[in-house]
Amino acid sequence: MQQRAHDVAASVTDPEMPMLTLEDLGVLRGVEVTDEKVTVTITPTYSGCPAMATMRDDLVHRLQDDGFGDVEVRVSLSPAWSTDWITPRGRRALTDHGLSAPGPAPSHAGPVPLSLLPRRRALTCPRCGSAEVELTSEFGPTACKALYRCAACLEPFEHVKEI
Amino acid sequence: MVEQVDHESVYDGLLGGDDSQWAFGTDFEDPLAGVDTTLPEGVDGHDLATYCLMLADDALVMSHRLSQWCSKAPDLEEDIALANVALDLLGQTRLLLARAAAADPSVVPALPEGSPVPPEDALAFFRGDREFLNVRLVEAENGDFGRTMARLLVFATWRLALFERLASSRDRVLSAVAVKGVKEMTYHRDYAARWFLTLAQGTDESRRRVVDGLTAIWSLHHELFVTTDVEQSVADAGVGVAPHQVADEVDVLLEQVFSLSGVERPTVSPLAGVRGRTGRHGLHTEALSKLLAEMQVVARAHPTGTW
């Protein structure tokens, strides 16, 4: 039961990036089965991520479709979600679908240093592989993405930004 | 009987069997579902709730101002950026309002019986301007893009410094919100700082605008570092941060941006309060009343509506 509930929950995909499962995204933090009741724990990616509601609904529906009548989705705010939690399989799936996967999340002891120059990332274009890319904006179509442009193939692409 | 739901349509299943509910918003489940909201030992529930309202109202009002740029920013990238920043702040707002309601349910406005409005929405949409505890910096009109960037720079630098300290709050909800907020607001602060520098070092016109913008908001800058009794009380209890403690750090960071930009720190007197009472005490400028009138009108007209 435990394994089956976990497998079902782990197969639910992110509504914004459907090539990623919630497990690959690192949002799925736990699946517990006690007395026929399934408790799923998830951690929000961004404080205001509007996809959280859909993730919850999808988890409940998929588990109910699989015969689990009583499903509760709980939120775990701590530790905070980090892009470091995206699995290697998730990173491959992002690249396979034309998205640039995040590098290591920034870490610092003490105050967050101010950065007045655009953040430098060693990226390659997910379409043509060129390293000649330029940042268009740190803010993209969803909270988790930055916008880039490839100087070689001239295509724009999205980068899942490190947090 | 389990209702059959067609998963092909995103709207099915949201209806809950009642197709008179035609409008859908974001999920109204408790954003703190499953989170331990027990008060830490020795913490006054009302003080903690009031402090959460202060932090929430700063974010909510700032978020609303930034969202007013939607479709009006100088270019598409800035339009998206400002909406993203607004969204992050709105997410913080929701968690903080829910935390306030859990810490002291008596702060939540009473609504007609049968109203499905959750506590965080009741706090956002059914309090009057005198009950909002935000600093006055966030309620001022946006002005042009230069002024908006000047304000966002000051606001994000200040709030990031507060949240870095709030991360070690004894209140686990506040601590979690702060840790998350630091990651997000690092992007906000750096974004505003880069634009400030770019505008100041750009054309005569862009420089004039960002300098004018900074001067225009500077009378509201001092208020950020005044510690009220409630803030001191929660700071003493180890759950909050007394804002005067971040004054030096914010000052140094802003000076970095100003000196690189070749901009003099404005010399403008602080905007007076009424007998020492300012935004944190519920005394605001006219701008907040107008903002709330627009933001709250639909919710107030339909207190029992389902969205």
Side-chain angles (χ1 to χ4, degrees):
Chain A
M1 276 263 279
Q2 176 82 36
Q3 188 59 44
R4 191 160 61 88
H6 180 271
D7 290 348
V8 173
S11 69
V12 175
T13 54
D14 178 77
E16 298 280 359
M17 297 185 284
M19 74 294 280
L20 282 188
T21 64
L22 296 187
E23 187 176 48
D24 284 337
L25 186 58
V27 159
L28 187 68
R29 303 310 290 166
V31 182
E32 294 289 325
V33 183
T34 42
D35 303 333
E36 311 272 304
K37 178 182 175 173
V38 186
T39 306
V40 182
T41 307
I42 56 175
T43 294
T45 51
Y46 278 73
S47 306
C49 179
M52 286 305 291
T54 312
M55 290 182 193
R56 281 195 209 184
D57 286 351
D58 289 350
L59 280 165
V60 170
H61 286 150
R62 289 286 295 279
L63 282 159
Q64 283 178 345
D65 285 354
D66 210 71
F68 295 96
D70 192 2
V71 181
E72 186 190 357
V73 179
R74 298 163 74 95
V75 175
S76 170
L77 295 178
S78 182
W81 181 80
S82 161
T83 37
D84 288 348
W85 293 0
I86 301 177
T87 62
R89 189 177 62 180
R91 285 162 197 272
R92 279 196 301 278
L94 285 172
T95 313
D96 288 347
H97 288 80
L99 285 155
S100 162
S107 67
H108 35 74
V112 186
L114 178 71
S115 156
L116 286 167
L117 292 171
R119 189 182 290 238
R120 286 227 189 130
R121 300 181 176 96
L123 299 187
T124 51
C125 170
R127 287 189 180 78
C128 75
S130 166
E132 279 182 66
V133 297
E134 56 189 20
L135 179 67
T136 317
S137 174
E138 284 287 7
F139 299 92
T142 66
C144 52
K145 293 181 209 140
L147 296 175
Y148 272 80
R149 180 164 46 210
C150 174
C153 72
L154 304 179
E155 289 290 332
F157 66 91
E158 293 165 11
H159 172 71
V160 178
K161 66 189 180 194
E162 300 76 13
I163 69 162
Chain B
M1 194 181 107
V2 179
E3 202 177 324
Q4 289 302 309
V5 175
D6 174 12
H7 295 304
E8 295 304 309
S9 165
V10 292
Y11 299 111
D12 289 328
L14 291 172
L15 284 167
D18 176 5
D19 55 13
S20 68
Q21 298 176 11
W22 54 271
F24 301 105
T26 49
D27 166 55
F28 273 178
E29 281 179 65
D30 180 5
L32 296 179
V35 174
D36 181 7
T37 55
T38 316
L39 285 178
E41 208 181 309
V43 172
D44 181 83
H46 185 69
D47 278 354
L48 179 60
T50 307
Y51 180 61
C52 290
L53 290 179
M54 293 174 175
L55 296 178
D57 291 346
D58 290 343
L60 175 58
V61 176
M62 189 71 208
S63 170
H64 189 81
R65 280 290 179 228
L66 292 171
S67 69
Q68 288 178 321
W69 275 103
C70 198
S71 82
K72 296 189 178 73
D75 59 39
L76 187 57
E77 282 75 15
E78 299 341 303
D79 211 284
I80 293 169
L82 292 168
N84 265 282
V85 175
L87 180 62
D88 286 342
L89 292 173
L90 199 61
Q92 292 174 15
T93 304
R94 191 173 176 209
L95 292 166
L96 288 164
L97 289 178
R99 185 30 174 161
D104 180 4
S106 77
V107 300
V108 182
L111 290 178
E113 201 171 325
S115 168
V117 174
E120 68 267 24
D121 279 26
L123 284 164
F125 296 115
F126 293 88
R127 280 182 301 150
D129 55 354
R130 289 279 182 118
E131 295 162 291
F132 268 74
L133 304 178
N134 57 281
V135 292
R136 291 176 299 176
L137 174 73
V138 294
E139 71 203 36
E141 296 282 353
N142 277 326
D144 62 11
F145 187 73
R147 189 192 292 195
T148 295
M149 283 304 115
R151 167 167 56 185
L152 185 59
L153 170 66
V154 173
F155 174 77
T157 305
W158 169 69
R159 190 169 173 90
L160 179 56
L162 284 179
F163 271 42
E164 287 185 82
R165 285 160 181 77
L166 194 61
S168 49
S169 170
R170 285 173 58 226
D171 183 66
R172 289 196 288 181
V173 181
L174 273 184
S175 162
V177 171
V179 169
K180 188 84 198 154
V182 166
K183 288 166 175 257
E184 295 167 351
M185 289 188 298
T186 301
Y187 281 97
H188 305 176
R189 183 193 62 185
D190 292 358
Y191 167 78
R194 286 169 198 158
W195 261 118
F196 190 95
L197 177 63
T198 301
L199 294 172
Q201 297 287 307
T203 63
D204 289 347
E205 177 66 6
S206 70
R207 180 178 177 80
R208 182 187 69 74
R209 287 186 179 223
V210 80
V211 170
D212 285 357
L214 183 68
T215 310
I217 57 109
W218 201 251
S219 66
L220 297 164
H221 151 271
H222 308 72
E223 190 178 326
L224 304 179
F225 307 101
V226 177
T227 300
T228 59
D229 291 347
V230 168
E231 287 163 306
Q232 191 60 57
S233 155
V234 290
D236 292 343
V239 292
V241 180
H244 68 267
Q245 289 178 340
V246 303
D248 289 347
E249 182 184 323
V250 171
D251 203 54
V252 168
L253 284 162
L254 290 180
E255 195 52 47
Q256 278 183 42
V257 183
F258 294 162
S259 64
L260 270 168
S261 306
V263 170
E264 292 284 322
R265 178 179 296 255
T267 48
V268 182
S269 305
L271 185 68
V274 178
R275 295 194 198 92
R277 293 160 64 82
T278 57
R280 285 281 187 252
H281 306 92
L283 283 184
H284 295 280
T285 59
E286 186 187 12
L288 182 69
S289 313
K290 292 179 175 170
L291 180 151
L292 292 180
E294 185 188 21
M295 189 182 85
Q296 298 179 333
V297 60
V298 177
R300 281 180 180 270
H302 306 280
T304 56
T306 303
W307 306 93

